[in-house]
Amino acid sequence: MAAIGVSGCAKRSAVSPESDTATSGGFLDKNYSTGAAGTESSAPPSTTTADQLAADRKIIFSASLSLDVVDAEKAFSDCEILVAKYGGFVAQSSLQKSDTKVVATATLRVPAARATELMNGLAGLGTVTSRSSGSEDVTSQYIDIQARLKVLRAEEEQLVGFLKKATNIKDMLAVEEQLRTVRTQIEQYEGQQRYMDNATSLATVTAQLTQTTEAFVAPRGFGSAFVQSLARFGHGLAAFWTWFGGSVVFIAFYGLLILALAWIVLRLVKRHLHRSLPPQN
């Protein structure tokens, strides 16, 4: 019995520290250990490899093309047909006319994989005068935004938990202020992410189509030549009347001045001739 009593006391003394720790730790210790575990699970080791980065590269592609065309309006319509054929659309367009040329400009958005095909199709609409293209790798920026969003969303979730456990108005207001700041940053980074997704998924191609007077010097047939000559005569006549309307005041002033000078000169010449004639008997 003495041996049993001694062993029981030893067993009780071995167990009691653990129970004391469990009771003395209280609610805060339990929350702390849970929060630590949550922190570890929310930041898993990175598994991104070089192959994944190469496969998920974010490239912004842009190009521009300048063409001399016979009919700028018709070439612009052909641009719309081409970009729709390759799954894109016209983002912006403009048309400017003058006495000597017509210029149509179109900003086209097309899937990045079809940008080269679109460029080759546009080159067939006229004579290429200039062509350029470029790309910008924004992969590192995109990954940085993703990492920041991950941290901010974890912080948002933690603040929401604190807000639910807040017991007084002061703590609630402080947590809400931090939560509002975090959510504003999340919206900003999400906007940047959406912009990069749009910019990298669609390429931007700018086409400038120029129709000059040189495009009319090689008409096809008598009818086309006659119509083009009438058009050029009309442009010239309109330009003359525009010049005449703007210069009529100066023409009237200098015309009157020249007439007055001519009249004075003629009077002086007649007087001189009259004096130089010999007297008659």
Side-chain angles (χ1 to χ4, degrees):
M1 290 179 65
I4 292 173
V6 172
S7 62
C9 292
K11 184 175 182 180
R12 188 179 298 112
S13 63
V15 174
S16 60
E18 181 179 354
S19 61
D20 291 342
T21 304
T23 56
S24 63
F27 179 73
L28 293 176
D29 290 349
K30 186 182 296 185
N31 286 343
Y32 178 78
S33 61
T34 304
T39 304
E40 292 178 358
S41 61
S42 63
S46 177
T47 58
T48 304
T49 62
D51 294 337
Q52 289 174 338
L53 287 176
D56 299 333
R57 290 175 63 190
K58 295 292 183 178
I59 307 295
I60 299 177
F61 180 81
S62 60
S64 62
L65 191 69
S66 297
L67 300 167
D68 283 343
V69 297
V70 176
D71 190 341
E73 296 184 16
K74 182 180 182 303
F76 177 73
S77 299
D78 294 339
C79 281
E80 294 179 327
I81 296 173
L82 275 174
V83 72
K85 175 183 176 182
Y86 295 119
F89 60 92
V90 179
Q92 189 176 2
S93 63
S94 64
L95 182 68
Q96 297 179 350
K97 293 184 178 181
S98 67
D99 297 334
T100 58
K101 64 181 179 180
V102 181
V103 180
T105 305
T107 302
L108 312 175
R109 302 298 306 277
V110 68
R114 311 297 299 276
T116 303
E117 299 177 61
L118 176 63
M119 292 281 288
N120 294 333
L122 292 173
L125 299 179
T127 303
V128 178
T129 57
S130 67
R131 179 171 181 168
S132 62
S133 62
S135 60
E136 181 183 1
D137 192 343
V138 294
T139 306
S140 59
Q141 302 175 25
Y142 192 84
I143 293 175
D144 181 66
I145 290 175
Q146 285 182 322
R148 291 177 184 271
L149 280 173
K150 184 177 180 180
V151 173
L152 288 171
R153 284 166 180 158
E155 186 176 354
E156 178 189 23
E157 185 178 355
Q158 188 177 17
L159 288 173
V160 170
F162 289 160
L163 186 61
K164 292 179 180 179
K165 297 176 182 178
T167 57
N168 56 70
I169 297 178
K170 181 179 179 180
D171 293 343
M172 291 177 63
L173 293 176
V175 173
E176 285 179 352
E177 181 65 25
Q178 295 182 14
L179 188 60
R180 189 162 39 247
T181 302
V182 169
R183 285 176 174 171
T184 300
Q185 294 177 355
I186 289 175
E187 291 177 359
Q188 292 175 352
Y189 284 119
E190 285 178 343
Q192 295 179 20
Q193 189 178 42
R194 285 192 298 269
Y195 168 76
M196 285 190 178
D197 287 334
N198 180 53
T200 55
S201 61
L202 295 175
T204 302
V205 178
T206 303
Q208 184 174 2
L209 313 170
T210 304
Q211 171 189 342
T212 61
T213 53
E214 286 76 8
F216 298 107
V217 299
R220 296 185 296 273
F222 175 80
S224 299
F226 181 74
V227 171
Q228 290 181 8
S229 64
L230 286 179
R232 296 177 66 181
F233 174 76
H235 285 303
L237 188 61
F240 169 76
W241 281 112
T242 301
W243 170 83
F244 183 76
S247 306
V248 65
V249 175
F250 298 97
I251 292 174
F253 173 78
Y254 288 111
L256 292 174
L257 182 62
I258 291 172
L259 286 175
L261 291 174
W263 182 79
I264 293 172
V265 170
L266 288 174
R267 294 280 297 179
L268 292 174
V269 170
K270 287 182 179 180
R271 183 176 298 178
H272 178 72
L273 291 175
H274 180 72
R275 290 179 178 178
S276 62
L277 289 175
Q280 298 179 359
N281 295 328

